[in-house]
Amino acid sequence: QTLLLGQTFVADGNPFLEPWQEVIHINSAGALLIEDGMIRAVGNRNDLLCDHPQAQVQDYGTHLICPGFVDAHVHYPQTAIIASWGKQLIDWLNSYTFPEEMRLANPDYARQIAARYLDLALDHGTTTMCSYTTIHAHSVDAFFDAAATRGLRSVAGKTCMDRNAPDGLRDTAQSAYDDSKALLTRWHGQGRATYAITPRFSPTSTPDQLSALGALWAEHPDCPMQTHLSEQPDEIAWVRDLFSNARDYLDTYEMHGLLGPRAILGHAIHLEPREIDRITESGAALIHCPTSNTFIGSGLMDVAGLAARQIPLGLATDTGGGSSFSMLRTMAAAYEIAQLRGTALHPAQLIWLATAGSARSLHLHEKIGRLAPGYEADLTILDLASTPAIAQRAGQARSVWEVLFPTLMMGDDRAIADVWIAGHRHAASSG
Ligand code: GUN
Ligand code: ZN
């Protein structure tokens, strides 16, 4: 048994649907009992110290113990091309992304990048990630093997594309179905792995491929299905040309059996009213990728409006379209985008999005994303005074939220004091 002492971030509900003051609490004298990789008790420091005198104690002082961050949309193969200059979505894919994804045809390179990505993510406090891969089946094995080595709960699937991608980076409708099925059988539910059926987006899949993946999903409805939706106006116009019989972008998925409660739709910025209604009815989750949406010039997602419709929302870096591996930086960008739309997201809402919200969007909300008994002990410990700039602002604070907010706005990997994975303290990589 291990007893962690510190400030604790405790969420008992959705702070977008209920007043955050009622459902989110920071316990400044909090404690967490961990045993066999699980959280056994959450409470007050003195109570848990008294109840568990034999437990090994780790005292984090005024650091904030949070659920591990959950990054609900990343492309691990794009790790090495993060921060590539000067392009918007389609040109960015053709100039930077596809050439790099081609390099993962080499299984050794795929393994190297998977390890590099996961170590960077962990250093930034991310303990679960939902990743795209490349069209190569071994890129999925590389990712899940590397995640298993580190003990991580993770989600990924083979990225399927059978058109509008260069030679060497296309599969077919049949091979996408066959390879995805074989990978799903190998990985889904193995240890902490979840397999996600992954058509990249409508422009790079023929209707045949979308149908084949829709059929696979119907055979395995407990798997999530991830794809992209309505990220940029040029992309949406292209989809309209490619699918002249579809009512809108969402319909290109819906008509092929690719809309349902376990759908995970990235970006979803420029939505039609019909699309919002159908997403709401279907139970699909939308993933906010704020640093990507500004970096690639995509637009300002209506987070508050969509959350109010009770649509499950997650938060994500979208590495490497996003410009950071850090979920702290991502929370800052989410705050800034909401400000541009006239809403101030509260720090309680931002951390909730990066933990319980993302976990819910991946249907992992009964396992991770909360500090509560019965949850897996994936934790991120935040130093709320990690740099002189943050410390001097936090020192002026009049409330615990005012202490925390500068870390959300200005923090990076230096704010990650520790990470725990399934009850084990993770030794930070030296790189
Ligand atoms: N749409 C289709 N593929 C991608 C991708 O790799 N990144 C982003 N940001 N959008 C996409
Ligand atoms: Zn993406």
Side-chain angles (χ1 to χ4, degrees):
Q1 289 187 332
T2 309
L3 196 53
L4 306 191
L5 309 178
Q7 308 203 71
T8 47
F9 181 91
V10 179
D12 296 315
N14 181 336
F16 287 89
L17 299 178
E18 297 165 88
W20 65 263
Q21 299 90 332
E22 289 174 19
V23 294
I24 310 282
H25 301 280
I26 290 182
N27 183 344
S28 55
L32 212 63
L33 184 72
I34 297 175
E35 189 180 21
D36 296 333
M38 307 292 284
I39 299 171
R40 294 289 178 214
V42 179
N44 293 319
R45 167 190 183 105
N46 289 342
D47 297 343
L48 292 199
L49 274 170
C50 198
D51 293 350
H52 305 279
Q54 75 294 359
Q56 194 181 322
V57 173
Q58 170 90 41
D59 192 345
Y60 282 114
T62 57
H63 289 359
L64 181 66
I65 305 173
C66 295
F69 296 150
V70 179
D71 190 339
H73 181 128
V74 314
H75 298 254
Y76 93 79
Q78 299 169 13
T79 296
I81 55 122
I82 194 168
S84 289
W85 184 84
K87 306 286 183 192
Q88 299 223 343
L89 179 60
I90 306 303
D91 291 336
W92 175 84
L93 284 172
N94 288 319
S95 311
Y96 297 119
T97 307
F98 290 158
E100 179 64 13
E101 292 191 10
M102 208 105 73
R103 296 182 67 198
L104 277 82
N106 176 347
D108 287 336
Y109 188 66
R111 280 190 287 272
Q112 184 189 327
I113 293 297
R116 186 189 302 174
Y117 164 72
L118 289 175
D119 287 338
L120 283 165
L122 275 165
D123 288 348
H124 287 83
T126 299
T127 53
T128 286
M129 48 295 287
C130 179
S131 188
Y132 289 66
T133 60
T134 63
I135 65 145
H136 313 99
H138 63 248
S139 75
V140 178
D141 295 328
F143 178 82
F144 280 133
D145 277 332
T149 301
R150 291 160 181 76
L152 299 174
R153 183 166 283 292
S154 66
V155 184
K158 183 192 114 78
T159 296
C160 300
M161 302 197 271
D162 67 344
R163 65 167 161 177
N164 295 319
D167 288 346
L169 216 52
R170 289 189 310 272
D171 50 19
T172 67
Q174 188 65 46
S175 74
Y177 175 91
D178 293 341
D179 288 352
S180 299
K181 189 180 177 108
L183 289 162
L184 186 162
T185 306
R186 187 176 315 154
W187 288 111
H188 188 58
Q190 270 306 311
R192 303 187 83 194
T194 296
Y195 190 84
I197 295 166
T198 308
R200 182 181 211 116
F201 68 154
S202 288
T204 49
S205 288
T206 60
D208 278 353
Q209 180 168 83
L210 295 174
S211 291
L213 295 174
L216 182 63
W217 199 22
E219 294 164 33
H220 299 278
D222 59 318
C223 284
M225 186 288 302
Q226 61 178 343
T227 191
H228 296 83
L229 178 69
S230 298
E231 185 175 355
Q232 292 207 343
D234 284 357
E235 169 209 16
I236 297 167
W238 192 19
V239 169
R240 198 174 297 124
D241 284 348
L242 290 169
F243 295 85
S244 51
N245 57 340
R247 287 168 289 186
D248 44 42
Y249 196 156
L250 183 72
D251 200 27
T252 64
Y253 299 127
E254 193 177 351
M255 64 178 18
H256 296 106
L258 292 170
L259 182 64
R262 284 177 196 261
I264 305 166
L265 306 172
H267 301 281
I269 300 166
H270 311 282
L271 298 175
E272 302 290 338
R274 191 203 81 91
E275 294 178 304
I276 297 174
D277 290 344
R278 280 299 295 132
I279 289 163
T280 308
E281 287 163 14
S282 71
L286 302 181
I287 309 301
H288 187 27
C289 306
T291 71
S292 170
N293 295 346
T294 51
F295 182 77
I296 312 188
S298 301
L300 310 178
M301 187 192 195
D302 181 16
V303 172
L306 294 164
R309 296 287 303 261
Q310 309 205 8
I311 295 171
L313 294 186
L315 188 66
T317 60
D318 190 28
T319 297
S323 52
S324 174
F325 294 96
S326 168
M327 289 297 282
L328 292 173
R329 174 73 197 101
T330 302
M331 290 181 235
Y335 178 81
E336 290 161 352
I337 286 182
Q339 282 285 60
L340 287 168
R341 298 192 62 109
T343 306
L345 297 181
H346 191 270
Q349 294 175 309
L350 293 167
I351 294 201
W352 182 88
L353 264 185
T355 55
S358 279
R360 167 62 187 84
S361 72
L362 306 179
H363 280 263
L364 296 174
H365 53 293
E366 290 175 347
K367 295 183 163 67
I368 56 167
R370 280 181 68 198
L371 304 186
Y375 277 72
E376 296 169 355
D378 289 349
L379 309 169
T380 292
I381 317 297
L382 292 181
D383 176 353
L384 301 180
S386 61
T387 68
I390 295 172
Q392 61 86 34
R393 177 61 186 91
Q396 302 296 317
R398 291 159 303 172
S399 75
V400 64
W401 295 109
E402 238 185 285
V403 174
L404 170 58
F405 191 55
T407 288
L408 300 191
M409 293 307 296
M410 300 194 284
D412 53 30
D413 50 334
R414 291 169 291 180
I416 310 303
D418 252 335
V419 169
W420 290 68
I421 303 164
H424 296 283
R425 189 172 164 195
H426 172 72
S429 69
S430 53

